[in-house]
Amino acid sequence: MVTMTPLTGVVALALAAVHVSAGHVRSFRVIPRSYWLSMAGGASVAYVFVHVLPELEGGTILQSVPLLAGFLERHVYLVALVGFALFYGLERLARESGRNADVRSDTNASIFWIHIGAFTAYNALIGYLLVHREQPGAVGLALYATAMGLHFVVNDYGFRDHHRETYDRIGRWVLAIAVVAGWGIGINTHVDEAVVNTLFAFLAGGVILNVIKEELPEERRSRFWAFAVGAGCYSAILLLV
């Protein structure tokens, strides 16, 4: 059901602006990793574990596939696992290409577009789910938008680390447009609740991987205390509203 169309449109533009402007925050580029980035990552992961996954027990489109009937009890987590594994593969691809000093420029360009292409679909999904959320209303929109905005900050840092000036020149604009395009598709389509659940499960897996991959590498020198504070504070907010 499409609701709060003008407000979700404003939020879509605000999320797009995160990708356009996050690179101008110099404190995000320092090593050790900015504690704000770690807090943002903790908050977005908390949203997945505390809010998204518990809300997805109503079923997914896997229920319509008879051969998967035996897996219905775990189907939400299977879809989340697919999202996790897909983005893990993309991250490995990007990292391996970055390690090869003799890789050709056209190969680098191919890796860039594969990486950006996958996240274009990912951002479009996030924009789409602004309209078709599992929890309607202004509070649900605020919680979702805050978590995804923080998640975009984390993703933006990772893209800039991988692709540098190419991301600043092209990538950030593509990802920003994708959010608004996804919202536009959302306001013009209506889908079953099971489809929304499936999309949210896939998004959950992607969010978890994309945050953790930025926190774990030793060279990031991430701040666990900040990650824990972000996760704890946002969990408390989610449990109280």
Side-chain angles (χ1 to χ4, degrees):
M1 180 178 181
V2 177
T3 58
M4 305 172 63
T5 300
L7 183 56
T8 57
V10 171
V11 173
L13 291 173
L15 289 177
V18 172
H19 276 305
V20 174
S21 60
H24 298 295
V25 183
R26 293 185 179 276
S27 63
F28 289 168
R29 303 186 183 188
V30 300
I31 299 294
R33 183 174 174 83
S34 168
Y35 62 84
W36 290 112
L37 285 174
S38 291
M39 289 179 68
S44 52
V45 167
Y47 180 79
V48 169
F49 281 105
V50 178
H51 189 73
V52 175
L53 291 179
E55 292 287 334
L56 296 181
E57 294 298 330
T60 75
I61 56 175
L62 293 183
Q63 288 177 318
S64 65
V65 183
L67 292 177
L68 294 176
F71 294 95
L72 293 182
E73 185 177 349
R74 297 184 297 254
H75 56 273
V76 168
Y77 307 102
L78 291 174
V79 177
L81 176 60
V82 170
F84 185 96
L86 174 63
F87 285 99
Y88 175 71
L90 288 168
E91 178 64 15
R92 293 303 304 167
L93 181 66
R95 285 190 178 275
E96 288 301 320
S97 68
R99 290 195 183 104
N100 296 327
D102 60 344
V103 73
R104 296 179 308 175
S105 60
D106 59 341
T107 302
N108 277 331
S110 297
I111 297 301
F112 169 76
W113 284 113
I114 291 171
H115 208 189
I116 287 292
F119 274 84
T120 295
Y122 182 76
N123 277 21
L125 172 60
I126 291 172
Y128 181 85
L129 291 174
L130 281 170
V131 181
H132 301 284
R133 300 182 308 283
E134 88 287 2
Q135 182 182 8
V139 173
L141 176 62
L143 293 174
Y144 176 71
T146 301
M148 292 304 101
L150 294 172
H151 182 50
F152 280 0
V153 171
V154 175
N155 284 353
D156 195 83
Y157 176 90
F159 269 109
R160 191 164 282 103
D161 183 54
H162 281 314
H163 304 294
R164 298 178 175 83
E165 67 277 359
T166 307
Y167 176 73
D168 278 329
R169 190 174 68 255
I170 302 172
R172 61 177 177 146
W173 297 102
V174 173
L175 296 183
I177 292 169
V179 180
V180 180
W183 170 81
I185 294 171
I187 64 173
N188 289 291
T189 61
H190 174 70
V191 296
D192 185 83
E193 181 182 358
V195 177
V196 174
N197 282 351
T198 301
L199 295 175
F200 259 108
F202 180 83
L203 178 63
V207 169
I208 293 169
L209 185 280
N210 288 315
V211 169
I212 295 304
K213 74 175 176 65
E214 293 297 329
E215 289 295 317
L216 290 183
E218 184 177 354
E219 65 271 17
R220 291 281 199 272
R221 297 174 63 188
S222 300
R223 303 169 189 263
F224 171 74
W225 69 266
F227 182 89
V229 167
C233 291
Y234 208 68
S235 295
I237 292 171
L238 292 167
L239 292 171
L240 289 173
V241 296

